[in-house]
Amino acid sequence: TGAIDGMVITAVESPRASIATLARYFGFDAIESEGLITFAMKGRAPSIALSHDDLVAPDQGDILELTRGQETELPHALKWQVVRADGDFDAAQVEARRTTVDSTRINLDTFPLAVSLAEAERQCNRQLAATWAERERAAFKLPPSRLALDPSDVVSLRHDGRGLALRLNSVSDALARGIEAVRQDGRAYEVPPGAPRTTTPSTPA
């Protein structure tokens, strides 16, 4: 879901490359499921609830592995360059920043998209919040009866007295289904648009 006013394609490229640009901006996944390519927005509500009793115990190791990335490896700020659709289609920059973190990393990205700057700022803030939520990763195994679950599906896993919303990144099928997932924070996808910016198109000669 979402809309843009225009997209610049300056070279011969595959449809996959063009769609990847939109996926980074809007935050959606492309998944192959039952022979079809489908697109799913991130930030969806969990489709099923799981507990430790639903997991398959491995031959070695813990039934659930949780890892957390270091703050210094994550961006302190994102800066996106876009094309403003409400003026002369000149380049503009939007920024999202976290104020209470130890990281000093700044990630830059360019989107050849003509968009509203208020909406671009919202997407930038959404991506920064989602990146920090996804530093928490989980690995576990499910029984073959959970065959309906595909990458990009969201599950709620009860652990340590709280429910973890996890988005499946990869699924490997064997005697049990090996799952790799990342933490998902639904609040990251509910941020409001940025403040509107006024613009005055240049006077034609």
Side-chain angles (χ1 to χ4, degrees):
T1 57
I4 57 176
D5 289 87
M7 179 175 180
V8 179
I9 299 177
T10 59
V12 176
E13 65 180 29
S14 66
R16 175 175 182 166
S18 301
I19 293 172
T21 299
L22 296 171
R24 292 196 340 267
Y25 178 79
F26 284 109
F28 65 82
D29 290 320
I31 314 103
E32 188 278 328
S33 178
E34 298 183 359
L36 297 176
I37 297 176
T38 61
F39 301 98
M41 298 298 296
K42 297 177 181 178
R44 294 173 298 155
S47 58
I48 63 170
L50 301 173
S51 68
H52 282 216
D53 294 337
D54 298 304
L55 308 185
V56 175
D59 295 333
Q60 296 180 343
D62 298 325
I63 193 171
L64 173 65
E65 294 182 3
L66 294 175
T67 57
R68 184 182 178 95
Q70 296 292 325
E71 282 195 6
T72 53
E73 299 173 353
L74 298 168
H76 162 63
L78 296 183
K79 292 186 177 182
W80 285 6
Q81 181 172 301
V82 297
V83 178
R84 55 186 310 162
D86 56 353
D88 289 325
F89 294 97
D90 51 338
Q93 190 176 83
V94 295
E95 179 179 324
R97 184 179 297 270
R98 293 179 71 95
T99 56
T100 58
V101 296
D102 294 332
S103 174
T104 58
R105 186 187 301 269
I106 298 177
N107 287 2
L108 308 176
D109 206 348
T110 299
F111 293 89
L113 308 176
V115 293
S116 158
L117 294 189
E119 178 62 18
E121 188 173 318
R122 185 181 79 85
Q123 296 290 356
C124 191
N125 279 306
R126 183 265 312 157
Q127 179 59 40
L128 182 62
T131 298
W132 277 80
E134 290 172 8
R135 65 175 167 161
E136 296 187 35
R137 297 178 174 270
F140 51 92
K141 293 182 181 295
L142 290 175
S145 59
R146 297 294 184 178
L147 188 63
L149 289 175
D150 286 323
S152 85
D153 285 341
V154 182
V155 302
S156 176
L157 178 61
R158 195 71 184 170
H159 174 71
D160 200 19
R162 59 178 180 144
L164 297 177
L166 300 172
R167 188 177 72 253
L168 276 56
N169 264 1
S170 67
V171 178
S172 58
D173 286 315
L175 295 178
R177 308 196 79 200
I179 304 293
E180 293 184 1
V182 295
R183 175 82 181 278
Q184 178 176 278
D185 186 353
R187 295 171 298 179
Y189 298 86
E190 299 172 356
V191 294
R197 305 187 195 179
T198 58
T199 180
T200 303
S202 60
T203 304

